[in-house]
Amino acid sequence: VKDPVIAHRILDLIRTHLAQMRAQSPPESGHAMGPEALQADHITVFTGWLDGEVLAVGALADLGHRLGELKSMHVRAPARGTGLGRALFAHIEAQARARGFTRLALETGSYDSFAATRAFYAAQGYATVPPFGSYEADPNSTFLAKTL
């Protein structure tokens, strides 16, 4: 992003997400990516805007072998329930299909505070799978995937 004001707003949203995830997970179970990690060549960051404000963020990582991973999906509290997060998620999933991915996976928390998140993904057709990519089994993590 070339506009410094917009870049700052996006970075603030990513940092907010990272801080919330770190507060909810022990360090060894924290898999949320910070701004630097999200700049890797195999990752594309997407944002969702409402009334001129960036209120949602999510990323798509190319793990190779036609496997994509949804990363750092977050919607600010004021935008929850507006459909913005669902629209951003649908856009990322469509991008995964357009890029030729045949499977999209994600990691989320297994705590009760992540129950709504897991229910959202289940409603979109995601099912529990074993750890994928470089993840290892972790009682604090739930791994989900969907064939595209």
Side-chain angles (χ1 to χ4, degrees):
V1 176
K2 294 182 182 185
D3 182 314
V5 173
I6 292 174
H8 176 76
R9 290 178 181 171
I10 294 169
L11 286 172
D12 181 61
L13 180 55
I14 291 168
R15 288 181 180 126
T16 297
H17 170 67
L18 188 60
Q20 288 178 359
M21 294 304 98
R22 286 182 175 163
Q24 293 183 23
S25 302
E28 66 276 7
S29 297
H31 303 291
M33 299 178 85
E36 297 79 21
L38 289 169
Q39 292 180 39
D41 290 340
H42 72 288
I43 297 175
T44 304
V45 176
F46 301 90
T47 55
W49 296 73
L50 189 62
D51 297 328
E53 292 295 321
V54 61
L55 297 173
V57 66
L60 177 61
D62 183 344
L63 300 184
H65 308 287
R66 298 172 58 178
L67 173 63
E69 180 181 7
L70 179 67
K71 295 294 297 181
S72 299
M73 187 74 191
H74 181 81
V75 178
R76 285 199 195 271
R80 293 182 187 151
T82 65
L84 180 64
R86 185 176 302 274
L88 179 61
F89 172 78
H91 178 74
I92 294 171
E93 200 172 72
Q95 287 296 307
R97 283 187 182 93
R99 294 177 187 191
F101 296 144
T102 57
R103 191 167 175 237
L104 189 59
L106 62 101
E107 179 275 338
T108 192
S110 61
Y111 300 117
D112 288 345
S113 60
F114 289 94
T117 301
R118 293 189 306 271
F120 170 79
Y121 291 124
Q124 308 309 310
Y126 286 74
T128 303
V129 296
F132 59 89
S134 62
Y135 291 106
E136 295 182 11
D138 181 344
N140 300 311
S141 290
T142 299
F143 303 98
L144 304 168
K146 174 181 177 178
T147 300
L148 299 178

